Amino acid sequence: MEVDKELPSPIEFRLDPGSGVPTYLQLVQQVEQALRLGYLKQGDQLPRVKDVVAGLAINPNTVLKAYRELEHRGLASGRRGQGTFVDGALPMVGLREQEALRRGLLRWMRTATAAGLDEEGIVALVSSALHDLHAENEEVVA
């Protein structure tokens, strides 16, 4: 009996063509998000270039550019003939804390929606609040 040695990647990429973010950066951001949320860990294999190309109908050079950027950031490394693997880590909050934060965020989003905000309004408000948080943190450091 032959065993398939190639396990599927724990991440599947998706694209938002209306985001204004270059395709390769969307892939990089998704890997970073998966690392922060614990969906990816060191040693996990990223999707093969040919699978990403087939699934998203994008140029292979775009996927290669994303993987090179992940290598540059110290988050992945290519292994000749085997693929690209997660090689680094990003700060991560524990799963229990993440779930509690997610539930609180969903409650807030429901309240924001009930108050009349659409998705773009929620994104704008969150972006504004993040900007304020960064400004506060810079004041504390200074």
Side-chain angles (χ1 to χ4, degrees), residues 2-22:
E2 190 171 318
V3 177
D4 184 10
K5 296 177 186 173
E6 193 166 304
L7 297 174
S9 176
I11 186 174
E12 186 173 320
F13 294 120
R14 66 202 176 293
L15 295 178
D16 179 0
S19 72
V21 176

Side-chain angles (χ1 to χ4, degrees), residues 35-90:
L35 282 166
R36 283 190 173 92
L37 296 174
Y39 299 135
L40 283 176
K41 61 185 183 316
Q42 284 187 329
D44 283 343
Q45 184 171 7
L46 296 178
R48 296 179 306 169
V49 172
K50 71 177 188 175
D51 294 336
V52 178
V53 168
L56 299 177
I58 60 175
N59 189 305
N61 290 328
T62 302
V63 183
L64 292 169
K65 184 175 182 178
Y67 286 4
R68 278 193 307 272
E69 179 62 25
L70 289 165
E71 288 182 21
H72 176 73
R73 295 181 186 195
L75 298 176
S77 63
R79 299 180 193 163
R80 188 171 298 282
Q82 295 181 349
T84 303
F85 293 81
V86 175
D87 208 27
L90 291 172

Side-chain angles (χ1 to χ4, degrees), residues 16-138:
D16 179 0
S19 72
V21 176
T23 301
Y24 87 96
L25 277 180
Q26 289 186 48
L27 301 180
V28 169
Q29 290 170 349
Q30 288 173 47
V31 169
E32 288 179 334
Q33 289 171 352
L35 282 166
R36 283 190 173 92
L37 296 174
Y39 299 135
L40 283 176
K41 61 185 183 316
Q42 284 187 329
D44 283 343
Q45 184 171 7
L46 296 178
R48 296 179 306 169
V49 172
K50 71 177 188 175
D51 294 336
V52 178
V53 168
L56 299 177
I58 60 175
N59 189 305
N61 290 328
T62 302
V63 183
L64 292 169
K65 184 175 182 178
Y67 286 4
R68 278 193 307 272
E69 179 62 25
L70 289 165
E71 288 182 21
H72 176 73
R73 295 181 186 195
L75 298 176
S77 63
R79 299 180 193 163
R80 188 171 298 282
Q82 295 181 349
T84 303
F85 293 81
V86 175
D87 208 27
L90 291 172
M92 190 176 105
V93 174
L95 293 178
R96 187 170 288 145
E97 292 86 355
Q98 278 185 40
E99 188 53 37
L101 291 167
R102 187 175 191 284
R103 282 192 307 269
L105 184 56
L106 283 170
R107 276 193 304 276
W108 179 86
M109 292 171 105
R110 287 184 195 107
T111 302
T113 301
L117 286 177
D118 60 6
E119 184 175 337
E120 290 79 18
I122 290 172
V123 169
L125 191 54
V126 168
S127 294
S128 173
L130 280 171
H131 179 270
D132 293 348
L133 180 65
H134 291 302
E136 287 175 13
N137 288 338
E138 288 176 7

